[in-house]
Amino acid sequence: MSKCVGCGVKIQYEDENALGYSPKKESRYCQRCFKIRHYNLEIKVDNVDNSDIINKINKLKGYTLFVTDLLSINDSLINTFKSIKNNKALIINKCEILPKNLKLSHLEANIKRVYDISDEVIFISVRKSLYLNKIIDLIQDNKIVIMCGETGSGKSSLINKLFGSDLTTSEYDNTTLDFIKIKGEDNTIVYDTPGLIINSNKLNYFFTRCYTFKLNNKYVLKVDDLLIYGKGVVTLYLNQHADRSTFKRKVDLEYTNVINKNSDIIINNGFIFVKANANIKSNKELLLRDSIIKQ
Ligand SMILES: Nc1nc2c(ncn2[C@@H]2O[C@H](COP(=O)(O)OP(=O)(O)OP(=O)(O)O)[C@@H](O)[C@H]2O)c(=O)[nH]1
Ligand SMILES: [Mg+2]
């Protein structure tokens, strides 16, 4: 049975409503890939099993590049990264859309320290072809490489760029459906893998909002379902899904937080950087970490 060269699913000709269907016997792509590639249609799948994918990756035993973006980094993502037993590196893609004042070398060192990572942490941009030589070196040195990570992080785009392959890529979740083996020059092999579903924190195109906000006691800052006011200066690093507004305070909020300088408040669509010590009231418990942004 042949596999779709776009997403890796087994091609079948019987059931139009099941994955892998193709109406034409000689087709290299399944109908779902055809629709994504030509019409940019979103065709959802709902049977992603992270632990099944991680088990298969661990059995394959290749050097593993775990691809993510900056906003997706939180405890659950790093725990998933650490559950990979192969030699590995954390690859942070889409760095071209990060604010230019962020020094990548500082970010790398901070992420290693805050999350206690001894493996390499490498920023790249597939779209702008930035720092891809580091990935090329890792592939040359290790020969067998597994590209894995959160859905939408740019794994298939990276392989296409490096190997000239024609994997299906899209802005939607779970484009790649099965493991795909791609052979390169010099006996190198790279595996594309189905994306993991870890959190909804994804940075797809750009930071729609990244700016500094001086808190006071008269106005409440609302970011998604978090409400805060108080004394402090915060910088918001949010993705395009974040909903932000301010309004005049009418009531007190329940939680009092004394926040140390250089902390991040982690929220669903990004994080909020607190540079100096701050006194903040909030409507819920804050999830804090030592900042990965601090310079
Ligand atoms: N801004 C930006 N977007 C990128 C970059 N690399 C990939 N993308 C976009 O990210 C989206 C997802 O890319 P894919 O290559 O399909 O991601 P994937 O990790 O293979 O996703 P799954 O197959 O679902 O696991 C697409 O819209 C890409 O164009 C990058 O360097 N910068
Ligand atoms: Mg993919």
Side-chain angles (χ1 to χ4, degrees):
M1 197 180 274
S2 63
K3 280 182 149 197
C4 170
V5 298
C7 70
V9 74
K10 282 184 186 136
I11 292 195
Q12 52 90 10
Y13 307 99
E14 293 81 35
D15 185 352
E16 203 175 333
N17 299 314
L19 287 175
Y21 177 73
S22 169
K24 287 195 210 143
K25 288 275 181 210
E26 69 279 14
S27 180
R28 296 166 66 232
Y29 291 95
C30 68
Q31 192 174 60
R32 176 175 181 269
C33 273
F34 183 85
K35 287 181 179 172
I36 294 173
R37 297 164 73 91
H38 294 281
Y39 303 106
N40 194 27
L41 289 179
E42 181 174 19
I43 302 163
K44 290 193 181 204
V45 293
D46 53 5
N47 54 349
V48 180
D49 182 344
N50 284 0
S51 52
D52 186 42
I53 296 168
I54 299 282
N55 284 341
K56 279 189 187 156
I57 290 167
N58 282 333
K59 276 194 191 131
L60 265 180
K61 298 204 191 320
Y63 191 90
T64 302
L65 301 179
F66 190 103
V67 188
T68 180
D69 66 56
L70 187 73
L71 288 194
S72 299
I73 294 178
N74 58 20
D75 282 349
S76 38
L77 183 120
I78 297 296
N79 287 339
T80 311
F81 169 69
K82 288 186 175 177
S83 71
I84 289 172
K85 299 191 178 84
N86 307 329
N87 288 337
K88 58 186 181 295
L90 185 67
I91 310 300
I92 306 176
N93 187 24
K94 311 190 185 182
C95 77
E96 90 284 358
I97 47 179
L98 301 183
K100 297 289 172 265
N101 64 323
L102 295 181
K103 282 217 175 72
L104 299 184
S105 55
H106 282 147
L107 284 174
E108 278 171 28
N110 289 344
I111 289 166
K112 281 183 163 187
R113 183 179 44 78
V114 171
Y115 288 104
D116 194 21
I117 294 174
S118 52
D119 311 287
E120 274 199 80
V121 173
I122 302 171
F123 277 86
I124 62 165
S125 165
V126 174
R127 182 159 297 172
K128 296 281 180 188
S129 296
L130 297 175
Y131 317 116
L132 298 186
N133 54 330
K134 296 183 183 174
I135 307 296
I136 293 169
D137 288 349
L138 282 173
I139 294 174
Q140 290 293 343
D141 291 348
N142 292 283
K143 299 295 180 207
I144 299 176
V145 164
I146 304 161
M147 209 67 83
C148 76
E150 204 178 23
T151 180
S153 56
K155 304 176 290 296
S156 306
S157 304
L158 176 57
I159 298 172
N160 283 347
K161 186 143 255 178
L162 298 182
F163 286 76
S165 47
D166 209 4
L167 301 166
T168 304
T169 66
S170 85
E171 66 202 85
Y172 306 118
D173 283 352
N174 300 114
T175 306
T176 306
L177 295 179
D178 207 340
F179 283 59
I180 305 175
K181 185 177 179 178
I182 308 269
K183 288 184 183 160
E185 287 165 11
D186 305 330
N187 296 322
T188 52
I189 290 174
V190 66
Y191 288 91
D192 195 7
T193 66
L196 306 165
I197 298 282
I198 300 173
N199 55 59
S200 59
N201 223 3
K202 276 181 284 148
L203 175 62
N204 277 345
Y205 298 111
F206 45 83
F207 277 102
T208 44
R209 300 176 192 113
C210 164
Y211 60 91
T212 300
F213 190 92
K214 198 167 175 203
L215 295 174
N216 60 50
N217 284 316
K218 285 196 183 142
Y219 285 87
V220 176
L221 171 64
K222 177 180 180 303
V223 188
D224 295 333
D225 59 350
L226 174 69
L227 306 176
I228 53 175
Y229 65 79
K231 276 205 158 74
V233 178
V234 293
T235 307
L236 311 180
Y237 291 88
L238 307 175
N239 69 18
Q240 62 271 33
H241 306 297
D243 172 34
R244 186 204 60 88
S245 61
T246 48
F247 56 86
K248 210 159 185 181
R249 181 185 142 206
K250 293 209 175 79
V251 290
D252 283 351
L253 297 178
E254 188 183 344
Y255 293 88
T256 303
N257 311 278
V258 180
I259 301 182
N260 291 335
K261 65 178 180 183
N262 288 321
S263 299
D264 294 333
I265 304 169
I266 303 173
I267 55 171
N268 269 344
N269 286 309
F271 61 90
I272 300 172
F273 174 46
V274 185
K275 191 173 181 180
N277 293 341
N279 260 298
I280 294 177
K281 291 280 232 174
S282 62
N283 62 331
K284 54 184 200 168
E285 252 178 86
L286 300 180
L287 190 56
L288 293 165
R289 75 176 165 207
D290 198 11
S291 179
I292 58 169
I293 291 292
K294 79 169 185 191
Q295 305 274 310

